[in-house]
Amino acid sequence: MELMNYIIIAFKVIVGISILNVWLLQQNKPTRWRGGDAKTIVEEFTVYGFSKNFCYLIGFLKVSLAIILMASIQFEMLTLVGSLGLTALLMGSIVMHIIVKDPLYKSFPAFLFIVMNLIIAYSTL
C-alpha cells in the first residue's frame, strides 16, 4: 500500500472519530468551538434558531455518515457517501457560525474536516 492510501485511512479515522466524539461523548460539555455562548449541542442549535428535533436529526446524520466514512476503509464504495455527506453538513455548520457572527476560529474544526473530506473524496476519482 502506498503512502497516500495510509493518509486517506488516517483522515477517515480522524474525521470519523472526531465527529463521533463531538456528538456522542462531548454533546453536553462546553467547548470553545460551540456557536454563540452555548454549553451543549442542543443549546448551540438554539443559538442558530433550530429546534431540538432538528439537532437530533443532524446528529443522527453526522453519526451515521461518520460510521459510513470509517466503514469505507473496508468498503471503498461507501467513501463518497460518507465524505461528501459530511462535507455538506459541515458547510452548514460554517454557514451557521457566520450567520450568528461567531469569531472565525469557531469554524476551524468544520473547515479542517471539510478539507480532509474533500481530499478523501478526491482520492476515489
Side-chain angles (χ1 to χ4, degrees):
M1 192 182 300
E2 65 181 72
L3 178 62
M4 192 60 187
N5 290 337
Y6 286 112
I7 292 170
I8 296 303
I9 290 170
F11 282 2
K12 288 178 179 184
V13 171
I14 291 166
V15 171
I17 289 188
S18 295
I19 298 290
L20 293 176
N21 178 52
V22 167
W23 282 90
L24 300 178
L25 301 178
Q26 304 294 323
Q27 65 181 332
N28 293 316
K29 297 177 183 173
T31 74
R32 64 181 169 168
W33 314 111
R34 297 227 187 272
D37 294 324
K39 304 286 186 244
T40 69
I41 284 186
V42 172
E43 286 179 19
E44 184 174 14
F45 273 71
T46 301
V47 167
Y48 299 147
F50 296 123
S51 70
K52 185 186 271 191
N53 287 337
F54 187 71
C55 175
Y56 293 148
L57 172 65
I58 296 299
F60 172 78
L61 291 172
K62 282 192 175 181
V63 167
S64 298
L65 290 167
I67 291 169
I68 288 168
L69 185 64
M70 289 191 299
S72 75
I73 294 168
Q74 182 66 36
F75 305 102
E76 185 70 28
M77 67 203 150
L78 298 175
T79 300
L80 286 178
V81 171
S83 64
L84 295 180
L86 282 171
T87 296
L89 292 176
L90 291 163
M91 283 197 220
S93 300
I94 291 174
V95 168
M96 294 316 302
H97 281 296
I98 292 168
I99 287 173
V100 299
K101 297 181 170 92
D102 275 336
L104 206 50
Y105 78 87
K106 289 192 177 196
S107 295
F108 177 74
F111 175 76
L112 178 63
F113 293 151
I114 286 170
V115 170
M116 293 170 88
N117 274 307
L118 290 175
I119 293 169
I120 291 166
Y122 181 76
S123 75
T124 66
L125 303 178

